[in-house]
Amino acid sequence: MPIDKSGVISSGDPLQDLGIPGKAFLKDSLTSCNDPLKAIEEFQAQNGVSLPSLSTMLPLLDLHGVQRFDFHASVLEELREQLIKRINEIGNNGKEKENSPQLNELLVKCFPAIRTTALRPVVMAILRNTPNIDDKYLKVLVTEKELYTDADTEVKRQIWKDNQSLFGDEVSPLFSSYIIEKEQVLFDHQNLNNGFFLPSPKVRRQGKVVQKLAHMIGNCLKLYDMVLQFLRTLFVKTKNVHYCTLRAELLMALHDLEIQDIIIYDPCHKFTWCLDACIREKNVDIKRSRELQGFLDSIKKGQEEVLGDLSMTLCDPYAVNFLASSAMKIAWHLINQETLPRENAILVLLLRMLALGLSSCQIIESQEFKEPKLDSQVVTKFIPALMSLMVDDQIRQLNQRLPPDERESAIAIIEHSGPPPDACQAYAHLSGVAAILAMYYALQVGGLNAQVKPKGDAKGLMRVLATLPNCEGQRAYEDPFLHTLVIILVNNMADEFSNESFCTVIFDEFFFAGMPKDSVTRHILKLIYWVHTKLPAARLKTLMKSLEPSSQQHEGIHTLYKQVTDKIENRKNEKKGATPSESSTESSVPVLPPPPTIADTLN
């Protein structure tokens, strides 16, 4: 390979490029000399370690069977480590954004040795401690795959800044891994204790993918912008809200690392930081609400694009969970205080942020950066109707605890279990905000925050759940909601599945309405995995027949279907060989602890 004017490209003999006799020189000497042994002896004398003490030491090593190659290799290793240590000291003592003159000079001299495996760590150490690497060196690293692979992240950052496609190839597997991790939690059918909303924000952003991305970005604004653009594009293309989670977690991970260049630059930082604090504390007080509202109201003309990133932050399922849970918590407070929803400023702000988050995909895709107006009738009509439903369900639950005589005297009023108010159904069909609140009330009435038995209200859940298939955007079939719903059904209402009317609502009216989605099928199978012993035989047979996967469906569905089928068959075989007492004991659904998901925010 020819040498260019800069001396960067090697001639094929790195030592020769450094001014040291290498393999080419030795080959010429041996082929042109009269006495090869003498030529080798001269080469060793000229290029060996020139220390007087070695003249007596080398023969001693020879007597112990230590080969000269091993000796020189050990010397090389020690010198290399000492040199790398000194290079790091020089790099740490220099200014962070300026190159060290010493390292610049050293890089020019030794870069040709980068192709020598034994010397490459020294060159890489110099590059790692050089904030602004000359393009001629970066081009060599990009051209040769082995050198690029061995380069440190600090060096690769300088390559990625001007090579978006290469950076995209590096981060794409991380994005995929992140989505897979989230889906593994949501679709895990064996460990229902692994609640999706359980980890705190601090714990979540300590994940390997988030930390790896933060390390790859470092303090490089250009790389940070690239990652945000990738996430926006993927979110719009796939409609997968986990990309919104990653956007928020990445920013807060950089906040934890105190990367000032980025957190000062990102206009969403203070808003995301404040929201993160609210989620962590499971509360939004007056001070925090004013800060959040101040951020939204301070967006000036010409800065509207920030709404796109703000909406992604609010579209994060953990943010939606917090906003909806907090709104339900306030609704109960309003019931106790006999106050109107429109009089509570925090509630209105929560609904405003919820509306912005639910519109995120449309805002970014259309590039029309305008905050959607919250439908005032959601506050003035839907929430009051929902509150009346909440009171109705609460009264019925209280009635069930009364003595039989008192219960009968109030049965005409209490046992009403007709459909929810028209306003609840109508607005849940038209408004995403109303739909989310109805969904979270379904979780609540199902007993998500119950501390004592009875944990759930089956009648209340059936009333609300039957209206959710028609809710706006089919939001009731999103994975986080279905994941939590299945946990509630298994933990709190397993015995209800022996009731055909309950099965009709749960399966026929709700779950099967979302069956075109493979993810819904997986959640149904997960539910059956736990409650099949409670289902009537005819119902179970019908369910399994209707859920039998086709060849076009996801491989995960085939695997899960087989596991559920095997479990049912094993149960049948065990039951045939069990005594009546054993059969009744074993047929019970495993007792699981209360699901650690949204409950804490509703207490």
Side-chain angles (χ1 to χ4, degrees), residues 169-214:
D169 292 340
E170 291 280 351
V171 298
S172 180
L174 294 176
F175 293 158
S176 300
S177 176
Y178 183 85
I179 299 302
I180 290 172
E181 287 177 7
K182 293 296 182 184
E183 291 180 346
Q184 283 177 341
V185 176
L186 291 170
F187 295 130
D188 183 6
H189 65 284
Q190 293 182 327
N191 184 12
L192 292 190
N193 297 327
N194 193 11
F196 182 73
F197 295 106
L198 173 61
S200 68
K202 187 81 171 179
V203 171
R204 285 190 281 112
R205 58 180 177 261
Q206 296 302 316
K208 291 182 180 179
V209 172
V210 177
Q211 290 298 312
K212 175 67 174 177
L213 282 172

Side-chain angles (χ1 to χ4, degrees), residues 332 335 382-397 416-421 424-425 437-438 441-442 445 457 459-461 463-465 467:
W332 280 113
I335 290 172
F382 169 76
I383 294 183
L386 182 62
M387 290 166 61
S388 70
L389 180 62
M390 294 163 65
V391 172
D392 185 26
D393 288 332
Q394 188 179 46
I395 292 175
R396 182 173 3 88
Q397 291 184 63
H416 171 69
S417 58
C424 284
Q425 301 184 59
L437 294 182
Y441 178 61
V445 77
D457 178 4
K459 288 186 178 180
L461 179 62
R463 290 173 67 188
V464 182
L465 211 57
T467 67

